[in-house]
Amino acid sequence: MKKFVLFLGLMIASLALSIRANDGTYYTSGNQLVPLQETDISVRKEVLTISILNNGFARVDVYYEFWNPGKQSRQLLMGFEADPPYNDDWKFHPDGVHPNIADFTVEMNGLRLPYQNAVCHYADTTLDSVPRKDYMIFDDNRIYEKDPEAYPEYWETGIAFAYVYYFTATFQPGLNKVHHTYCYRMSHGIGDPWDICYKLTPASRWANRQIDDFTLIVRADNTSKHFVIEQKAFPQAVFAVMEGVGKIRNLPEEKWQTPYLEFTLRNGAVQTHITNFKPQDELRIASGFRESKPFGHFYDPYYGKMPFFMANWAAEQNHQDLQFVKRVSRNLPYAYRGHVFKDKVLREFFESQWWYMPDPNYNDDNSDFTEVDHLYIKAEID
């Protein structure tokens, strides 16, 4: 087998993230900072802030407070694990630098920490009980081109891996503060113009097996976002709009197979706060949920091929008037920014959309319109 960097000795759990089995692209997921060896240090506090940007990236900002119960300083090897891309012109990076992560930083007690990159070995070689060639390194160091079910003996030569950013942290006795930031490309699929995943369960690797005080903040600064969060990661949590303009509602489990919270947010933030948080599942944030009636659900000022879904909606609703479809398309960028429509047909249509939040002060300024916004305005739906 060709040589590659293999970071040995890491106590790394099996993959917890389920990758969607569709024609989408999974770039990576966010992860907790975790100890790479046993430790008696606990997580007193975590404030996780995820900003949904208009450039196809999510920005992750995490503030931690750790508690060292000992009377002496202690050095601990810590790491950040990132899954390799799936269905994205796969290429193995032996230097351990993830192709879709940028601006990685760690500060501890006010000092910037240097870090190194490596490739680590995962114990589990499957996702969704289906082998994923993108997560494997083979003896020819290339992606496996044959059907693994037809060639099981060759599949067994692969090693499941992840990219790791690791560093040495010095924990003083008592309270220690860590500030961690990075950006990563959001995934996407047939039904999701964008998708953000963040692993919560690795927090159980710290001594207290929980996060004593946990806060999640999701931001949409200088933009409008319509998204859902799977409730299974926060079954008892209460979310609230803390800044800007927004609304929140439940999507019933019997309709969606799993309970979701739905959010519409403009230039603001939502948050939830949990004490003694023992995460049992991972965080997933996805663009506005699939539904046949809410025409416009899939619109996003950066991502999404909305005209495709609009045509589907028109067919489902027996709308043969594509001019109406085009009118709605041209007005979507304005509707998401709160334009108040004088035209009765458009006003009634957008007021029927849950995500629509009219703003009488919006003056139709288009200076922040993206390339995708202009595509909608052109209504190129053919």
Side-chain angles (χ1 to χ4, degrees):
M1 177 177 282
K2 290 186 178 181
K3 293 182 179 180
F4 59 90
V5 181
L6 183 60
F7 195 46
L8 298 175
L10 306 188
M11 302 299 294
I12 297 179
S14 298
L15 289 170
L17 177 67
S18 294
I19 305 303
R20 298 180 309 281
N22 62 17
D23 293 332
T25 299
Y26 167 75
Y27 291 112
T28 190
S29 67
N31 204 341
Q32 299 277 337
L33 290 181
V34 294
L36 300 180
Q37 68 246 31
E38 290 296 325
T39 181
D40 57 359
I41 294 171
S42 60
V43 188
R44 284 280 182 90
K45 185 175 185 177
E46 177 181 350
V47 180
L48 170 61
T49 302
I50 297 179
S51 298
I52 309 172
L53 308 180
N54 264 351
N55 61 358
F57 279 75
R59 184 176 187 273
V60 179
D61 185 299
V62 197
Y63 169 78
Y64 293 96
E65 290 183 0
F66 294 98
W67 183 258
N68 177 9
K71 296 182 179 180
Q72 302 293 328
S73 297
R74 179 168 179 197
Q75 285 193 336
L76 185 68
L77 193 64
M78 295 176 65
F80 169 87
E81 304 158 10
D83 297 332
Y86 160 65
N87 209 20
D88 177 40
D89 297 326
W90 191 90
K91 178 183 179 183
F92 174 59
H93 296 264
D95 58 4
V97 178
H98 197 288
N100 297 310
I101 290 179
D103 303 328
F104 184 93
T105 68
V106 178
E107 292 183 358
M108 186 168 190
N109 296 326
L111 297 177
R112 180 71 65 89
L113 299 183
Y115 64 88
Q116 299 181 64
N117 294 90
V119 175
C120 74
H121 171 256
Y122 268 131
D124 192 9
T125 59
T126 62
L127 294 173
D128 293 339
S129 301
V130 178
R132 297 289 189 187
K133 57 190 178 183
D134 310 72
Y135 288 84
M136 307 292 283
I137 305 171
F138 292 91
D139 58 3
D140 57 3
N141 207 15
R142 294 180 303 155
I143 192 169
Y144 188 38
E145 298 176 353
K146 298 180 180 180
D147 181 1
E149 294 183 358
Y151 300 88
E153 70 285 353
Y154 190 79
W155 180 257
E156 292 175 357
T157 68
I159 297 176
F161 75 98
Y163 297 110
V164 172
Y165 295 64
Y166 68 100
F167 52 93
T168 301
T170 301
F171 289 86
Q172 304 295 336
L175 188 67
N176 293 265
K177 300 178 180 180
V178 174
H179 184 208
H180 171 42
T181 64
Y182 60 97
C183 291
Y184 72 93
R185 288 184 68 182
M186 297 185 288
S187 303
H188 63 85
I190 290 177
D192 300 313
W194 53 263
D195 191 339
I196 300 169
C197 293
Y198 185 90
K199 293 183 180 179
L200 297 165
T201 56
S204 63
R205 300 183 208 173
W206 294 97
N208 51 340
R209 304 294 185 258
Q210 67 174 27
I211 304 167
D212 295 346
D213 187 291
F214 176 78
T215 300
L216 169 65
I217 301 171
V218 182
R219 303 196 63 89
D221 294 318
N222 302 311
T223 186
S224 297
K225 294 297 178 184
H226 173 212
F227 56 93
V228 295
I229 296 179
E230 290 186 358
Q231 284 187 277
K232 59 184 180 180
F234 316 99
Q236 306 299 325
V238 176
F239 283 81
V241 178
M242 58 180 288
E243 294 178 26
V245 180
K247 296 187 293 185
I248 306 170
R249 70 175 179 178
N250 287 291
L251 292 176
E253 181 177 1
E254 61 269 17
K255 187 172 184 179
W256 304 109
Q257 285 74 56
T258 184
Y260 282 85
L261 283 173
E262 186 176 17
F263 302 80
T264 180
L265 184 63
R266 184 164 60 236
N267 193 24
V270 295
Q271 77 169 31
T272 188
H273 176 250
I274 309 171
T275 57
N276 300 317
F277 181 42
K278 298 179 176 64
Q280 302 298 311
D281 219 308
E282 316 303 347
L283 167 64
R284 178 172 180 248
I285 307 172
S287 53
F289 213 79
R290 278 169 276 185
E291 190 171 302
S292 60
K293 292 183 179 179
F295 182 55
H297 254 204
F298 289 83
Y299 170 77
D300 183 86
Y302 180 79
Y303 264 127
K305 299 294 183 276
M306 183 64 193
F308 168 75
F309 294 102
M310 290 196 300
N312 276 1
W313 180 90
E316 291 171 3
Q317 303 301 313
N318 296 316
H319 281 276
Q320 302 303 319
D321 184 6
L322 288 182
Q323 292 306 312
F324 171 73
V325 177
K326 291 183 178 182
R327 287 187 70 196
V328 172
S329 175
R330 293 188 184 105
N331 284 281
L332 273 169
Y334 296 97
Y336 260 74
R337 291 167 173 81
H339 176 84
V340 178
F341 293 91
K342 296 180 179 179
D343 181 274
K344 180 181 178 182
V345 174
L346 289 175
R347 182 175 68 251
E348 290 179 350
F349 171 77
F350 283 113
E351 287 179 350
S352 71
Q353 306 306 302
W354 178 80
W355 51 259
Y356 176 62
M357 298 181 293
D359 179 7
N361 295 318
Y362 175 56
N363 61 3
D364 292 348
D365 177 22
N366 63 2
S367 60
D368 66 336
F369 278 23
T370 67
E371 179 181 352
V372 173
D373 281 323
H374 290 294
L375 288 177
Y376 283 94
I377 292 172
K378 293 178 182 177
E380 297 175 348
I381 66 172
D382 297 332

